[in-house]
Structure formats: C-alpha cells, structure tokens
Amino acid sequence: MWSEEARQQAQAEGLTLLVAETKTGYFSVHLDDRVGHLKSYQARVWRRGKQVNLGSFATAEEAALCVARSPEG
C-alpha cells in the first residue's frame, strides 16, 4: 500500500489520519532512520502506561492508518 492508497483507505473506512508537527507529519508515527531499513516508519501508541509498537511500514501514511485503526486512534 502506498501513501495515496492509505489516504483513500482511511477515507473509505471513515477514519482520520491525525496530522502532527513532527518529522513524519502524523501523530504516533516515528521515523526509524537506521541505514538499510526498508520499512522505516513505526506506528507506536501508549496503552496502560506502556509504549506499544503496532508495526513497521514503508510510508508514513500507512503507519498513520494503522494508528487510526487502533483504539487509541
């Protein structure tokens, strides 16, 4: 799934990709800038006081869609 597809999927599901003033541009999406990582965007949320990794994604929009689908989204 690519950036535009993720935006379209969010719209189709009635979800909002939460925009933030961060490097990635999305709430709870973090950039893993280690060399050699193909899936460099991490979706992370806080649950019961602990940070939970929801997965790694090729685009920030895909990670933001994952966050939007989570209970925290």
Side-chain angles (χ1 to χ4, degrees):
M1 182 180 301
W2 299 103
S3 300
E4 185 57 33
E5 290 176 69
R7 283 190 219 100
Q8 289 173 356
Q9 188 62 41
Q11 185 177 18
E13 294 178 29
L15 300 172
T16 301
L17 303 183
L18 299 175
V19 177
E21 290 187 25
T22 63
K23 280 185 180 183
T24 64
Y26 295 99
F27 175 76
S28 289
V29 176
H30 305 274
L31 180 61
D32 183 355
D33 55 3
R34 292 179 288 176
V35 176
H37 284 256
L38 296 176
K39 295 185 175 184
S40 57
Y41 294 93
Q42 304 285 320
R44 296 185 208 143
V45 295
W46 286 92
R47 286 189 184 148
R48 288 173 254 161
K50 294 185 179 182
Q51 193 172 47
V52 177
N53 187 347
L54 301 178
S56 300
F57 303 88
T59 69
E61 289 77 12
E62 288 175 287
L65 178 58
C66 182
V67 171
R69 288 175 171 161
S70 75
E72 295 79 12

